[in-house]
């Protein structure tokens, strides 16, 4: 394998990080209470996955797979950005934060994991794939539990 810098990975990370930085200023009302009750194992997996994904997304195999995988990556990330725009235009409640996007449950957690998985396949990057699985277990697990606790 010959590794090279991934421009697609850099764009993916920017699309992932920017809305999350903005979110820190407009967190949903009541989120702090949910955050205090989070499963420590899931939080650890999420954080480890975040760091690993950030590092691994910047590299791809010299001969990536079909560009159709990039369409999937940026299709997921486009929906992710749409989710954030809807949230930022809302009243910033937990209901707004966990509202489905069409048929996609907890889109703020599911879409970046799907995009990370697709980016790993596109770039033939097994390290990114592993990091995405770790991140996905933690991130989706945390937000699935938050959503269930709200019901």
């Amino acid at each position: 394998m010959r590794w090279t810098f991934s421009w697609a990975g850099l764009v993916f990370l920017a699309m992932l990080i920017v809305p999350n930085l903005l979110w820190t200023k407009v967190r949903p009302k009541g989120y702090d209470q949910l955050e205090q009750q989070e499963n420590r194992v899931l939080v650890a997996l999420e954080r480890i996955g975040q760091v690993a994904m950030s590092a691994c997304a910047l590299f791809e195999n010299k001969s990536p797979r079909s560009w159709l995988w990039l369409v999937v990556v940026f299709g997921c990330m486009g929906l992710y950005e749409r989710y954030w725009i809807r949230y930022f235009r809302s009243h910033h409640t937990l209901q707004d934060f966990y509202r489905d996007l069409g048929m996609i449950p907890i889109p703020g957690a599911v879409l970046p994991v799907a995009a990370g998985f697709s980016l790993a396949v596109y770039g033939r990057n097994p390290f990114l794939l592993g990091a995405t699985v770790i991140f996905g277990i933690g991130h989706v697990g945390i937000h699935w539990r938050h959503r269930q606790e709200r019901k």
Side-chain angles (χ1 to χ4, degrees):
M1 282 189 190
R2 292 189 53 209
W3 296 94
T4 185
F5 180 77
S6 174
W7 288 101
L10 181 65
V11 174
F12 163 77
L13 288 175
M15 292 177 79
L16 187 66
I17 292 169
V18 170
N20 281 281
L21 290 174
L22 295 173
W23 174 79
T24 62
K25 298 191 185 306
V26 288
R27 292 167 54 124
K29 299 166 186 84
Y31 188 80
D32 294 334
Q33 294 169 330
L34 289 175
E35 193 173 41
Q36 292 173 357
Q37 302 167 7
E38 289 175 352
N39 180 302
R40 291 181 187 174
V41 172
L42 292 177
V43 171
L45 290 171
E46 179 187 45
R47 301 275 161 71
I48 291 166
Q50 285 172 337
V51 171
M53 274 183 74
S54 297
C56 295
L58 295 174
F59 299 96
E60 64 187 27
N61 191 316
K62 188 72 171 154
S63 57
R65 293 193 191 275
S66 167
W67 60 271
L68 290 174
W69 281 103
L70 278 181
V71 172
V72 175
V73 170
F74 292 111
C76 288
M77 292 309 290
L79 290 171
Y80 182 69
E81 299 304 321
R82 182 174 175 209
Y83 156 78
W84 278 114
I85 290 168
R86 183 184 70 184
Y87 172 75
F88 289 133
R89 289 182 174 172
S90 73
H91 297 287
H92 309 125
T93 65
L94 286 171
Q95 182 177 353
D96 297 325
F97 191 60
Y98 288 112
R99 191 169 66 187
D100 295 349
L101 184 64
M103 296 180 62
I104 303 168
I106 50 173
V110 170
L111 289 169
V113 172
F117 176 84
S118 300
L119 185 62
V121 172
Y122 164 76
R124 298 182 186 211
N125 187 336
F127 304 110
L128 178 57
L129 184 61
T132 302
V133 169
I134 292 168
F135 173 71
I137 291 168
H139 194 58
V140 173
I142 287 169
H143 291 287
W144 187 263
R145 291 181 80 183
H146 286 185
R147 182 179 163 150
Q148 297 304 342
E149 290 168 3
R150 281 191 39 257
K151 290 184 176 182

